[in-house]
Amino acid sequence: MLILFSFMFLIVAHLFEKAVNQATGFNLEIRQDLSMSMYHKDGDLILGGILQIHMQSNPLGSTNFKEPPASTDCFMSIIRYYRHRLAFHFTVEEVNNNAELLPNITLGYRIYDSCAWELRAIHGTLSLLSGTQVPVPNYSCEDRGVLTAFIGDLTSDTTYSISQLSRIFRYPQISYGAMDPIFSDRILFPSFFRMVPNERSQYDAIIQLLRHFGWTWVGILTSADYQGQSAGEELKWTIIQSGGCVEFLAMLPMIGIDQTIPEVVHLIHSSTCSVIVLYSSMVYLLQQFMFKVWRKHEIPPKVWILSATLPIITDFDIGKAFQILNSSIAFSIPKGEIPGFKDFLYRVNPTMFPNDVLLKLIWQGKFRCRLPGTKILRFWPDFDRLPNCTGTETLRSLDSSLYDVYNFRFSYNIYKAVYALAHALHQMYTAEPLQGPITDRESLRQRFQPWQLNHFLRNIHFKPSIGNEIFFDEKGDTPTRYDILNCIYLPNGALIQTLVGSFHPSATSDQQLFINESAIRWQPLFKQTPRSVCSKSCRPGYRKAPKEGSPKCCYDCVPCAEGEFSNATDMEKCLKCPDDQWPTKKRDGCIPRTIEFLSYEDPLGASLASLAIVLCAITAGTLGIFLKYRETAVVKANNRDLSFILLLSLMLSFLCSLLFIGRPEKLTCLLRQTAFGIIFSVSVSAVLAKTITVVIAFKATKPGSRLREWVGSRALSFLVLLCSLGEVLICTAWLLISPPFPDYDIQTDPGRMILICNEGSLFAFYSVIGYMGLLAILSFIVAFLARRLPNSFNEAQLITFSMLVFCSVWVSFIPVYLSTKDKYMVTVEIFAMLLSSTGLLSCIFIPKCYIILLRPEMNTREHLIGKQSTSI
Ligand SMILES: *[C@@H]1O[C@H](CO)[C@@H](O)[C@H](O)[C@H]1NC(C)=O
Ligand SMILES: *[C@@H]1O[C@H](CO)[C@@H](O)[C@H](O)[C@H]1NC(C)=O
Ligand SMILES: *[C@@H]1O[C@H](CO)[C@@H](O)[C@H](O)[C@H]1NC(C)=O
Ligand SMILES: *[C@@H]1O[C@H](CO)[C@@H](O)[C@H](O)[C@H]1NC(C)=O
Ligand SMILES: *[C@@H]1O[C@H](CO)[C@@H](O)[C@H](O)[C@H]1NC(C)=O
Ligand SMILES: *[C@@H]1O[C@H](CO)[C@@H](O)[C@H](O)[C@H]1NC(C)=O
């Protein structure tokens, strides 16, 4: 069964190789011999390297932890990753040729290929530690040089495995690609350094990019390894924290990817976001995914944002499958310049590295020729028919998209890492006073302690011949910027990466991100900068209304309520206009309200004012008549003084109504109701006093009555004063405790602001009216009781009638007043004032004037008495 299975796998692998070779120009080979992945150069001090050169090891090599794994083969060497090994070699040579750095000491290296697999990484680390191909844990059989440090690896998972071993012995380890935040933990990883920033800074970069383009609705696709999972969750959380929303978070599993692909494709198809963040460190996994999706499924156009943990995009061309990722935006660690490395890369040939099997394979594959001394390769069917290589082949003839000699990102990190170690070693061997010259390797070995090297590495500060200063921060990270690239896959399969921006984590938050939008080429299907939002933004005049059960980026737009407005798009809440303003019809701004009050210009106000003045003039006329005929019987009857007081107060009460017209000011508000109350109570008190006069006059006609002396007495004027005093007290209390003030009313009528006098205390207002009413009712009752008393000119009846008019006006005033709003309230009050005063004037004085002016013959004391006697 197992044999059958392996056989099937080999066939599948073969077919796959052909397909991939055709599609992408990869080298794909299967190797059994672990030693093939060791590259070495002898020296006094050895740098151990665990680099990822192959993309993936045998996925069927399962482990039961009881016996050695059946197979630890590697697949798919990547020529770009092979450059990492070349950069390692190049830099070590350069250090050795540098007379100032480590003089008289040669640097060597041993490099193992991790194939992105932890097991291979551990194997390589153990081999380096024990100095033998077959690891012997806890023993060092290395006699050719002193192992000083580790450089590796590219992915976080393998880097973690290496550090598990290296930190036991406190060997320094410098990773050139692992961005996992965990490595910043100085307690767990005291001897760990890296040439890349902590991944967390990349979350900020992604957030800022999303914010820059207003993309609030995104999907996340990660690999289901340790790093991908934690990064996916953390990124999701960060996006939500920053106000965005995540439509989905999908993970690509290592095992069973074939079953997962349709699900993920369906998810992408049914998603409404147009931006997907691709966060994977598993290059192989992503390659599988893209390759299979590309062959079988359509993917709707999306903007893919690729993390810098995904070196494959930024440093590796994977061919047509990645057309799906066309026009993606990729974060990447910055590229650096390695002087002379380009020429070195062109010079490389198999005779330079006679033991390097991989180089031979690459060479034979690229140039379709056979190198002398190579074994027949099992999976290369026409291998024996190939011509011998001529020796004139040169890597210069390779396309630069395959063999990139211009963009060094991870290669540059290796360059820096080797230099950092060389400088640290140099300082270590030159710092302490020499305990004798370094004569041989034995003295080098004796004077080497890994933890000492850590100390020097931590404080390293040097400047390469080109480029910025190199140092580690207190967490062992290298602060650096991110480049933002736009990856265009041309129909002919070539990849173009244009630099469209950068992100500087150390800058202030508004200067961190720089994007040159005009340099970005979006997918042809997007006509312009794509949008990725859950709900369309709400126009001014509308506000967001969250949908229940949906993320907060999904909302409905509802118009602002009456009286509210929103003047910007996507407002969370509508605003209220200032009190003197009112929302426009569209509710997208405020306009001033129209101001209203009863003014003199207003026809109503003007006519009321002229009516008041006319009535006042009539009253004045009446007063004039009374003054002129003050010695006549009609005027003299029933207390002349009271008549004068009454006429005066009526005049004032007509004038008082003018206070109610015009813009309410502080003074007019104070005066209005108080003047009205006092003047009217004077009038009513005068009427009351008059009624009492009638009663007294009647009683006084009886013989022996002492009341007679009261009839014309001034005492009644004091009664007026006394009664009015009550009103004065009420008004004083009102003014002292809660005086009326100018106010406005915006509730009654939308769009208008009505200026009013706020009474301050309604209770006081009704007390004033109530007191007046009390006086009026009192005079009415007295007058009613006295109406049948014989009297000159039916005074009591006239008073009864006038009080009836007065009371009914004010009794009907209250409900009308309460049910009217805005400026008509004032009108009602003015009207009531005019009406009641006119009632008094006409009932009490018009009949008398009639007699005085038209019937002077009746205006005699005889007539008065006669009438009195006849009416009895
Ligand atoms: C290096 O070796 C040379 C010759 O053996 C010697 O003259 C020189 O002093 C040595 N330099 C150092 C720094 O040890
Ligand atoms: C490992 O080596 C150290 C010293 O070289 C020794 O003390 C220790 O016992 C060894 N451990 C094992 C498990 O052999
Ligand atoms: C290739 O070279 C080998 C010896 O190096 C020789 O035996 C063989 O004939 C050559 N093949 C061709 C096709 O020239
Ligand atoms: C990728 O996008 C670019 C720019 O929009 C376009 O020119 C190119 O044809 C696209 N490539 C493929 C393979 O569709
Ligand atoms: C932005 O990109 C355009 C087109 O590539 C280029 O012409 C322009 O100089 C760039 N602007 C900046 C500020 O880099
Ligand atoms: C919107 O209205 C508020 C409050 O009136 C004001 O502060 C803000 O400047 C206005 N915004 C715009 C864009 O007009």
Side-chain angles (χ1 to χ4, degrees):
M1 181 64 200
L2 193 68
I3 295 169
L4 186 67
F5 199 68
S6 310
F7 183 67
M8 275 174 61
F9 166 69
L10 292 181
I11 291 176
V12 169
H14 176 61
L15 293 177
F16 184 59
E17 174 200 348
K18 277 187 86 174
V20 171
N21 262 331
Q22 281 163 8
T24 68
F26 281 170
N27 267 327
L28 182 112
E29 74 279 351
I30 294 186
R31 295 187 282 127
Q32 248 117 37
D33 187 357
L34 270 179
S35 70
M36 287 177 81
S37 54
M38 211 269 262
Y39 311 91
H40 67 91
K41 175 179 161 29
D42 283 339
D44 302 324
L45 299 177
I46 301 292
L47 303 182
I50 315 275
L51 309 185
Q52 181 186 337
I53 295 170
H54 283 77
M55 204 147 86
Q56 175 63 20
S57 28
N58 183 354
L60 292 184
S62 61
T63 317
N64 61 9
F65 299 105
K66 288 185 182 147
E67 53 208 42
S71 164
T72 50
D73 294 341
C74 290
F75 286 97
M76 291 188 214
S77 65
I78 302 172
I79 194 164
R80 283 190 174 237
Y81 286 7
Y82 187 71
R83 290 184 317 162
H84 300 165
R85 170 254 188 284
L86 292 176
F88 207 124
H89 177 89
F90 174 81
T91 321
V92 166
E93 290 282 295
E94 203 175 273
V95 169
N96 284 339
N97 291 336
N98 187 336
E100 275 156 32
L101 210 52
L102 293 171
N104 291 357
I105 300 174
T106 43
L107 218 49
Y109 61 79
R110 311 223 184 298
I111 297 171
Y112 284 89
D113 184 355
S114 72
C115 308
W117 191 18
E118 292 89 336
L119 192 130
R120 300 257 332 186
I122 288 174
H123 186 120
T125 316
L126 279 177
S127 298
L128 283 169
L129 284 169
S130 56
T132 53
Q133 283 287 327
V134 178
V136 188
N138 205 28
Y139 288 93
S140 174
C141 310
E142 181 71 82
D143 56 355
R144 286 165 298 175
V146 187
L147 178 68
T148 53
F150 291 86
I151 294 181
D153 190 5
L154 185 61
T155 58
S156 294
D157 288 7
T158 47
T159 305
Y160 188 82
S161 308
I162 299 165
S163 75
Q164 298 283 6
L165 290 172
S166 71
R167 72 181 182 195
I168 298 176
F169 303 98
R170 292 286 183 271
Y171 276 107
Q173 180 187 356
I174 305 182
S175 166
Y176 62 104
M179 294 172 69
D180 195 307
I182 196 172
F183 294 119
S184 296
D185 186 335
R186 289 328 266 169
I187 293 168
L188 275 178
F189 301 95
S191 57
F192 184 90
F193 303 89
R194 53 179 157 187
M195 286 299 171
V196 284
N198 182 334
E199 191 167 50
R200 287 228 168 83
S201 57
Q202 191 176 200
Y203 302 150
D204 296 339
I206 292 176
I207 298 291
Q208 291 227 3
L209 183 77
L210 296 180
R211 193 175 291 157
H212 176 87
F213 287 110
W215 293 331
T216 53
W217 186 236
V218 297
I220 304 176
L221 192 61
T222 70
S223 50
D225 58 338
Y226 165 74
Q227 191 190 1
Q229 281 185 358
S230 61
E233 292 295 345
E234 201 159 338
L235 183 62
K236 178 177 175 180
W237 188 82
T238 323
I239 289 177
I240 291 172
Q241 283 291 303
S242 76
C245 298
V246 175
E247 186 179 15
F248 63 82
L249 167 58
M251 303 202 184
L252 298 173
M254 206 48 204
I255 295 158
I257 186 164
D258 289 341
Q259 291 91 298
T260 318
I261 283 175
E263 286 171 30
V264 175
V265 169
H266 178 74
L267 194 64
I268 295 175
H269 261 286
S270 57
S271 68
T272 55
C273 63
S274 40
V275 172
I276 297 179
V277 181
L278 195 54
Y279 213 109
S280 168
S281 55
M282 301 287 281
V283 172
Y284 168 77
L285 190 64
L286 193 74
Q287 196 273 341
Q288 289 284 291
F289 177 73
M290 284 300 162
F291 204 75
K292 286 173 181 161
V293 169
W294 173 62
R295 303 220 132 186
K296 292 207 191 109
H297 304 274
E298 280 283 308
I299 288 276
K302 302 273 179 193
V303 177
W304 297 81
I305 297 176
L306 313 175
S307 67
T309 39
L310 203 60
I312 189 163
I313 300 302
T314 54
D315 213 20
F316 177 66
D317 161 37
I318 204 163
K320 289 206 173 94
F322 276 77
Q323 278 175 13
I324 296 170
L325 301 184
N326 192 10
S327 305
S328 50
I329 308 273
F331 284 95
S332 145
I333 58 164
K335 72 176 182 186
E337 213 165 314
I338 311 178
F341 189 43
K342 177 182 165 190
D343 292 334
F344 173 78
L345 285 178
Y346 280 148
R347 274 205 320 272
V348 165
N349 68 56
T351 50
M352 221 162 141
F353 301 105
N355 299 324
D356 193 333
V357 182
L358 180 56
L359 180 58
K360 285 188 182 151
L361 287 169
I362 291 173
W363 199 267
Q364 292 173 137
K366 292 290 174 241
F367 298 112
R368 309 302 296 169
C369 68
R370 219 179 125 174
L371 287 168
T374 37
K375 287 183 275 181
I376 305 283
L377 289 172
R378 273 183 299 151
F379 294 106
W380 210 323
D382 53 355
F383 184 75
D384 44 356
R385 268 178 270 134
L386 289 179
N388 281 348
C389 293
T390 60
T392 56
E393 294 89 359
T394 158
L395 287 170
R396 205 178 279 270
S397 62
L398 287 189
D399 186 58
S400 76
S401 68
L402 276 182
Y403 192 62
D404 190 345
V405 293
Y406 299 102
N407 297 300
F408 303 125
R409 297 176 193 278
F410 291 102
S411 306
Y412 185 59
N413 280 353
I414 288 184
Y415 175 78
K416 288 192 292 184
V418 172
Y419 259 107
L421 282 172
H423 278 277
L425 283 167
H426 179 82
Q427 282 178 15
M428 193 176 111
Y429 279 109
T430 51
E432 45 185 304
L434 285 185
Q435 305 131 338
I438 301 162
T439 47
D440 53 4
R441 283 185 186 164
E442 201 43 50
S443 66
L444 272 180
R445 186 193 305 280
Q446 273 161 9
R447 284 177 38 202
F448 177 77
Q449 297 295 348
W451 53 85
Q452 279 183 333
L453 186 55
N454 266 324
H455 166 76
F456 288 104
L457 202 51
R458 207 168 288 137
N459 300 318
I460 204 100
H461 263 279
F462 68 96
K463 211 169 167 331
S465 54
I466 299 180
N468 296 331
E469 188 170 49
I470 289 158
F471 62 94
F472 298 104
D473 65 14
E474 73 279 7
K475 297 202 161 145
D477 304 333
T478 307
T480 186
R481 64 166 205 272
Y482 291 94
D483 281 350
I484 299 173
L485 305 172
N486 187 208
C487 306
I488 310 284
Y489 292 87
L490 295 181
N492 67 10
L495 165 73
I496 302 173
Q497 298 179 20
T498 22
L499 186 70
V500 293
S502 56
F503 181 81
H504 299 263
S506 51
T508 55
S509 66
D510 55 333
Q511 306 205 312
Q512 284 178 320
L513 185 76
F514 165 73
I515 287 271
N516 185 355
E517 256 185 82
S518 60
I520 301 181
R521 287 167 69 196
W522 304 105
Q523 287 219 17
L525 278 159
F526 294 122
K527 298 258 160 11
Q528 62 215 17
T529 306
R531 288 172 55 74
S532 191
V533 290
C534 179
S535 302
K536 285 218 176 78
S537 58
C538 298
R539 282 180 292 137
Y542 290 79
R543 68 171 170 86
K544 294 179 181 178
K547 277 189 196 166
E548 212 163 303
S550 307
K552 76 176 199 306
C553 305
C554 305
Y555 45 79
D556 293 319
C557 292
V558 294
C560 285
E562 182 155 327
E564 296 186 331
F565 77 104
S566 62
N567 58 355
T569 46
D570 280 343
M571 302 254 295
E572 303 278 349
K573 272 189 197 149
C574 295
L575 304 172
K576 279 209 157 36
C577 288
D579 279 349
D580 59 346
Q581 295 186 355
W582 177 249
T584 54
K585 212 165 191 182
K586 287 181 175 168
R587 310 222 165 118
D588 55 358
C590 290
I591 44 169
R593 291 172 185 261
T594 48
I595 292 179
E596 285 213 347
F597 55 91
L598 187 66
S599 73
Y600 287 106
E601 283 91 58
D602 192 299
L604 188 62
S607 43
L608 282 177
S610 18
L611 186 63
I613 287 169
V614 168
L615 288 171
C616 180
I618 291 173
T619 319
T622 314
L623 183 61
I625 293 168
F626 267 56
L627 279 175
K628 187 172 179 200
Y629 297 94
R630 64 179 173 279
E631 295 305 332
T632 59
V634 170
V635 179
K636 278 172 91 177
N638 294 325
N639 204 328
R640 206 163 44 180
D641 292 348
L642 285 179
S643 298
F644 293 147
I645 291 177
L646 185 55
L647 280 171
L648 268 176
S649 65
L650 282 179
M651 268 174 72
L652 285 179
S653 72
F654 287 128
L655 290 181
C656 168
S657 66
L658 295 183
L659 279 178
F660 287 75
I661 305 174
R663 193 186 184 99
E665 307 287 351
K666 205 160 180 211
L667 188 67
T668 45
C669 280
L670 284 178
L671 284 182
R672 269 184 190 180
Q673 305 292 4
T674 42
F676 152 73
I678 292 170
I679 291 168
F680 268 72
S681 40
V682 170
S683 312
V684 180
S685 312
V687 174
L688 179 63
K690 255 182 164 326
T691 326
I692 291 172
T693 317
V694 173
V695 176
I696 290 174
F698 172 71
K699 300 275 187 204
T701 52
K702 296 197 174 146
S705 169
R706 275 190 284 125
L707 281 171
R708 190 162 195 96
E709 42 205 85
W710 284 90
V711 175
S713 150
R714 293 273 152 104
L716 285 166
S717 306
F718 286 110
L719 180 73
V720 175
L721 213 58
L722 201 69
C723 290
S724 321
L725 202 63
E727 193 74 313
V728 172
L729 286 180
I730 294 175
C731 288
T732 314
W734 185 4
L735 290 186
L736 287 181
I737 294 168
S738 145
F741 55 92
D743 199 0
Y744 48 80
D745 167 18
I746 52 174
Q747 262 79 47
T748 314
D749 192 355
R752 284 193 293 167
M753 182 162 79
I754 298 146
L755 300 185
I756 52 167
C757 278
N758 190 317
E759 265 85 42
S761 156
L762 268 187
F763 174 76
F765 175 65
Y766 286 113
S767 302
V768 164
I769 294 200
Y771 184 78
M772 205 177 78
L774 194 74
L775 290 179
I777 286 171
L778 201 63
S779 5
F780 173 69
I781 292 172
V782 175
F784 184 78
L785 293 178
R787 76 191 186 284
R788 295 212 176 274
L789 290 185
N791 187 305
S792 48
F793 316 114
N794 302 323
E795 185 86 2
Q797 278 167 38
L798 290 177
I799 289 176
T800 314
F801 189 62
S802 70
M803 279 297 112
L804 199 61
V805 171
F806 189 89
C807 288
S808 44
V809 167
W810 287 106
V811 165
S812 48
F813 161 75
I814 290 175
V816 175
Y817 185 77
L818 285 180
S819 63
T820 16
K821 294 280 171 194
D822 63 67
K823 65 175 180 182
Y824 297 106
M825 281 177 99
V826 188
T827 317
V828 166
E829 195 170 350
I830 295 174
F831 207 72
M833 284 161 69
L834 295 181
L835 200 64
S836 56
S837 306
T838 316
L840 288 188
L841 179 69
S842 47
C843 292
I844 297 179
F845 293 103
I846 299 300
K848 290 184 179 162
C849 286
Y850 172 77
I851 291 174
I852 291 171
L853 295 178
L854 301 178
R855 306 288 294 272
E857 74 278 2
M858 287 170 75
N859 193 358
T860 57
R861 187 174 164 78
E862 291 68 40
H863 185 82
L864 231 138
I865 292 169
K867 189 173 178 210
Q868 220 166 353
S869 32
T870 46
S871 64
I872 292 172

